[in-house]
Amino acid sequence: MVAAVTVRVPAKINLHLGVAALRPDGFHALDTVYQAISLYDDLTARPGRGVSLRGASYVDPASVPLDDTNIAVRALDVLGPRCGRRLEAEILIEKAIPVAGGMAGGSADAAAALLAADRLLDLGCSDATLLAAAAACGSDVPFALIGGTARGRGRGEQVTPVEDRGTWWWVVVPATGGLSTPAVYRRYDELVPDAPAVPAEPVELLTALASGDPHRLARALHNDLQPPALDLRPELGDLIERGEAEGALRGLVSGSGPTCLFLCESAEAARATAAGLQGGPRGEERVVLLAHGPVAGAHVVAR
Ligand code: C5P
């Protein structure tokens, strides 16, 4: 057995998030296009038991449970029966993906734990086994394994890669305090009582990705969870306007929020928008990050 395995796993954003009416199982049917961007958590697994966390400045460590309810620990409980044994590891999460930010940070850690356990404990799981365990952990977890740019259907767990000819530059602004994903979906149900039976398809978005043209992509970005997220956090609307005034081609809420994203024309343009967004209107400091996508899904970086 190896002494330690470190897996790097990216944040996701949704370039298109079409949401349909609430299903009887408590989930919403989605038609989404995910992109993995260069903002990562690193998860290290060693022989032993337990979970600890080191976070970036904007990560509140108190917001992540450090017991058996941690999603990375639960991922091992999901994978264990599929391998016919009980799985344990001592897990360290080095977190840069905002918590409860609409970037699937918890899902990323679950995906990383599945891959790290497979390598640390020499489980020899097939990709199909890891993807099935990922889907059982949460709707966004399979995408964290595959990364790149992919369409997600069902409740988001059925993922297929799509053609993407671009390298897209994003300014990412985490918010202080997260938003609960179920709460944003509940607000969606209240605001859209006549939600469609079938989610909106990403027709223009897929064409824009294949073209590699950021202006075209900017026009095609779409998020059905943005109105409920803005309803719960009206100040995000001002932030989006501000980023667009600072040169971004388009600003939007990331998934269920409250992180906001700004698509920029180039790396240089993204640096300029980020500089413009730094320092709030009354001089308050704002965390502003730069990322590009697509990037690879969960992968081993050290063992
Ligand atoms: O799948 P995951 O555990 O990430 O979902 C968290 C919650 O988000 C669900 O319990 C549900 O309330 C909501 N959700 C939803 N429809 C989806 C995905 C998530 O309503 N497709």
Side-chain angles (χ1 to χ4, degrees):
M1 188 157 68
V2 292
V5 175
T6 299
V7 171
R8 181 159 294 167
V9 63
K12 67 86 186 157
I13 60 177
N14 301 82
L15 308 178
H16 173 96
L17 182 48
V19 179
L22 180 65
R23 306 192 312 206
D25 66 357
F27 288 88
H28 295 74
L30 303 183
D31 199 337
T32 189
V33 177
Y34 296 107
Q35 182 164 90
I37 63 167
S38 61
L39 181 61
Y40 301 98
D41 282 359
D42 279 356
L43 181 146
T44 300
R46 295 187 173 81
R49 220 181 119 67
V51 56
S52 57
L53 182 112
R54 271 191 235 137
S57 61
Y58 49 87
V59 171
D60 172 15
S63 58
V64 181
L66 297 179
D67 56 20
D68 289 352
T69 65
N70 186 287
I71 189 166
V73 177
R74 284 194 277 130
L76 302 192
D77 294 339
V78 168
L79 185 60
R82 292 176 155 81
C83 308
R85 56 185 273 202
R86 191 176 151 72
L87 304 180
E88 280 186 353
E90 187 192 323
I91 290 170
L92 166 66
I93 299 167
E94 293 170 276
K95 181 160 273 305
I97 306 176
V99 178
M103 304 193 85
S107 301
D109 298 343
L114 294 173
L115 186 59
D118 178 61
R119 302 302 149 87
L120 179 78
L121 306 171
D122 225 353
L123 302 176
C125 293
S126 65
D127 287 353
T129 298
L130 289 177
L131 282 168
C137 291
S139 308
D140 297 333
V141 183
F143 175 69
L145 281 178
I146 73 165
T149 307
R151 189 161 176 182
R153 281 183 274 199
R155 59 184 165 85
E157 88 287 12
Q158 295 161 22
V159 284
T160 23
V162 299
E163 184 184 12
D164 184 350
R165 293 228 182 99
T167 293
W168 313 99
W169 288 92
W170 300 95
V171 171
V172 179
V173 183
T176 30
L179 263 180
S180 141
T181 303
V184 176
Y185 274 106
R186 273 198 302 275
R187 197 75 193 105
Y188 170 86
D189 295 336
E190 288 160 6
L191 291 175
V192 193
D194 52 351
V198 178
E201 287 186 27
V203 181
E204 314 239 311
L205 195 274
L206 293 176
T207 315
L209 284 170
S211 79
D213 175 358
H215 292 267
R216 208 158 163 182
L217 189 71
R219 288 195 297 275
L221 296 169
H222 174 83
N223 182 2
D224 278 340
L225 291 184
Q226 179 157 314
L230 291 184
D231 187 72
L232 294 167
R233 289 285 184 86
E235 70 276 15
L236 298 179
D238 299 335
L239 175 62
I240 289 173
E241 274 182 24
R242 170 102 194 273
E244 290 179 346
E246 295 291 351
L249 298 178
R250 178 90 187 268
L252 80 164
V253 169
S254 178
S256 56
T259 305
C260 285
L261 304 168
F262 298 92
L263 176 65
C264 298
E265 193 170 17
S266 62
E268 198 184 357
R271 277 194 291 275
T273 296
L277 279 169
Q278 237 130 26
R282 283 170 295 280
E284 69 265 33
E285 282 301 305
R286 184 184 276 136
V287 174
V288 180
L289 311 168
L290 227 64
H292 62 88
V295 298
H299 55 282
V300 174
V301 285
R303 59 187 295 160

